[in-house]
Amino acid sequence: MKQLRLTLLGFGTVGQWLAETLHRQQAWLQQEFGLVVSIIAVATAHHGLISRGDGLDIPTLLDLVATRQPLTAHPEVTHWTNVLEGLQATGGDVLVEATGATLRNGEPGVSYIRAALSLGMYVITSSKGPMALAGRDLLSLARAQGVQLRMESTVMSGTPVLGTIREGMAGTRIRAIRGLLNGTVNYILSAMAMGQDYAEALTQAQALGYAEADPTDDVEGDDAVAKTLILAAVVFGRTLVPSQVVRRGITTLTREQVQQADALSKRIKHVASLRLLSLDGTEVSRATADNGTVPTRLEVHVEPIALPLSDPLARIDGLLNAIVIQTDTPAEVTVIGPGAGRFQAGQGVLADLIALAKSP
C-alpha cells in the first residue's frame, strides 16, 4: 500500500475535480492501485495556504468553495498568508501545482515547483507556463533530487501524449512532431470549413463557452506556442523561448481562403510542428543527432497550413486535438483526443498521480 501526503496549490476547476475524485474513488484507488492519498494542504491566491497534518476533510473543502467561504473556515488548520512559506513549512510527498500560471512569466508556478523539488517532493503540474519557460531546468532539478516531475495535462489535457512519448515510446528516436494543440482554434477552423467566416465562427465558439471573451491566447497561437515549448523541453531536451517559435494566428484567415483550400482537396489547420534540422537546414534523424556527429537545431512553427486530406491531421475537427509523432520505429504514431476541459485536465493530473504510486 502506497500512502501519499499531497499538497494542492490552486483550488479551481482542476484542483476541485481532483479532490472530489480522490474522495469519491478512494476505495477503488486503494483496491486497484494500492494508493491512499490524503490532502494535507490546499492553497489559493486569495486565501493563502491551510494545512492539517492528519489530512483535510475534502467534503468540507468543496462545501467552503461552493458557498464562497474562506478556506480558513476549515476546522483545526494552520494558516499561512504566504503560500511559498506554507509550502516550505508543511512539505508533503507530492505537490500538485494547478495555479494556472501563464506563459507571461510562469509564476507563481515556477517558484512553487522549484521549492517543492528542492524539498525532495514529487511534483505534478497542470500549468503550461512553468514548464514552457523553465521546463528543462526544472526537469534537471528533479533528476538531481531523485524525484519525478510530471506534467501530462499541460499539452493535451487528459489525452495521454507525454506519457505515450516518455513511456509507451521509450527506445524510439523522435525526429519530428506535428499537432493540433488548441481545441478552440480547431473548432473555429472547422466551422469556417462549413462556410462561416472567422467572426461568425468565433462568436459561435464564445456563445458555446469554447472561447474566452478575450480569445487572444488561443487565436493568436500563444497557447499552442506554450505547448510546443514544453514538447521541446520534454521530448527533445531543448530550451527555447517564445520568440524562437515562428508563429501566425488565425485572425486574418478568410472564408475565401478556406474555400480555396477545399477546392484543392485540402483543409486549413493550425499546426504546431517541431523538427530536428542540421545547421544547414537539412532534416536529420534523431539517431544522427544522438550520436553527436551532426550539430542540430530545433525548428518550431505554429501556423495555419493547408493540409491534403490524406494527412491524418486534416480530418480532425471540432474541439479535438491530435498529435503525430515521427520516429525511426514506428514511422508515425498519431494520438487523438480532447485537449481541454475540467474533467480532462483533472484526469491528466490523476494519471500522473497513479504513475507516481506505481513507481518504486
Side-chain angles (χ1 to χ4, degrees):
M1 196 67 61
K2 193 152 192 174
Q3 299 187 4
L4 295 177
R5 296 159 60 247
L6 188 148
T7 294
L8 178 54
L9 304 188
F11 205 56
T13 54
V14 174
Q16 291 173 47
W17 184 92
L18 179 65
E20 180 182 359
T21 302
L22 290 175
H23 177 70
R24 179 168 39 86
Q25 302 276 17
Q26 58 183 325
W28 178 75
L29 290 169
Q30 183 172 341
Q31 178 181 348
E32 189 72 15
F33 302 104
L35 174 60
V36 177
V37 180
S38 61
I39 298 178
I40 64 165
V42 170
T44 69
H46 295 300
H47 300 148
L49 183 143
I50 62 167
S51 177
R52 193 170 76 177
D54 61 351
L56 298 164
D57 184 71
I58 292 175
T60 299
L61 288 172
L62 295 171
D63 184 65
L64 289 173
V65 172
T67 56
R68 299 183 180 276
Q69 298 181 65
L71 294 180
T72 49
H74 188 293
E76 302 174 339
V77 296
T78 305
H79 176 231
W80 286 265
T81 56
N82 184 295
V83 174
L84 190 57
E85 291 178 1
L87 170 63
Q88 292 169 329
T90 59
D93 301 311
V94 181
L95 170 68
V96 172
E97 190 279 318
T99 65
T102 68
L103 187 60
R104 289 171 181 84
N105 59 19
E107 293 294 351
V110 170
S111 295
Y112 295 159
I113 294 170
R114 184 171 283 121
L117 293 174
S118 298
L119 291 169
M121 298 175 67
Y122 292 90
V123 175
I124 299 167
T125 181
S126 63
S127 300
K128 292 184 287 289
M131 297 312 302
L133 298 179
R136 190 178 179 191
D137 288 343
L138 294 172
L139 287 166
S140 295
L141 177 58
R143 285 192 293 270
Q145 293 294 107
V147 294
Q148 292 187 44
L149 167 56
R150 303 186 69 92
M151 70 234 57
E152 185 61 71
S153 61
T154 60
V155 175
M156 277 175 56
S157 202
T159 299
V161 170
L162 298 179
T164 297
I165 291 172
R166 296 201 301 180
E167 284 127 30
M169 300 181 69
T172 65
R173 294 183 171 90
I174 297 175
R175 304 189 305 271
I177 291 175
R178 298 183 305 122
L180 311 180
L181 301 181
N182 186 279
T184 299
V185 169
N186 201 43
Y187 179 88
I188 291 171
L189 291 178
S190 298
M192 292 179 71
M194 298 297 291
Q196 296 185 17
D197 63 26
Y198 170 76
E200 291 171 333
L202 173 59
T203 298
Q204 178 175 294
Q206 289 171 324
L208 293 170
Y210 301 153
E212 302 288 343
D214 179 1
T216 303
D217 283 352
D218 294 325
V219 298
E220 293 292 357
D222 292 340
D223 177 71
V225 166
K227 293 169 180 177
T228 60
L229 297 181
I230 293 169
L231 289 168
V234 174
V235 180
F236 294 99
R238 307 294 177 99
T239 299
L240 301 180
V241 298
S243 61
Q244 291 176 282
V245 180
V246 177
R247 180 189 62 180
R248 283 195 301 128
I250 64 167
T251 57
T252 60
L253 280 178
T254 65
R255 178 164 45 194
E256 289 70 28
Q257 289 173 305
V258 174
Q259 290 173 338
Q260 288 170 5
D262 183 67
L264 296 172
S265 296
K266 295 183 176 182
R267 293 287 298 275
I268 294 180
K269 293 294 182 180
H270 200 231
V271 180
S273 62
L274 302 93
R275 291 195 305 158
L276 276 177
L277 300 175
S278 65
L279 297 184
D280 64 3
T282 305
E283 188 166 330
V284 297
S285 71
R286 182 68 186 271
T288 303
D290 286 345
N291 290 336
T293 57
V294 178
T296 60
R297 62 184 176 88
L298 189 63
E299 180 185 77
V300 185
H301 289 246
V302 172
E303 59 189 345
I305 298 177
L307 300 175
L309 295 181
S310 58
D311 191 299
L313 298 179
R315 296 183 183 272
I316 306 298
D317 290 325
L319 294 171
L320 287 175
N321 282 186
I323 196 165
V324 178
I325 307 150
Q326 298 177 342
T327 77
D328 52 353
T329 53
E332 282 192 354
V333 172
T334 301
V335 180
I336 303 169
R342 174 175 181 255
F343 305 112
Q344 286 81 8
Q347 173 56 39
V349 174
L350 180 60
D352 279 338
L353 187 60
I354 292 171
L356 289 181
K358 293 166 69 175
S359 64

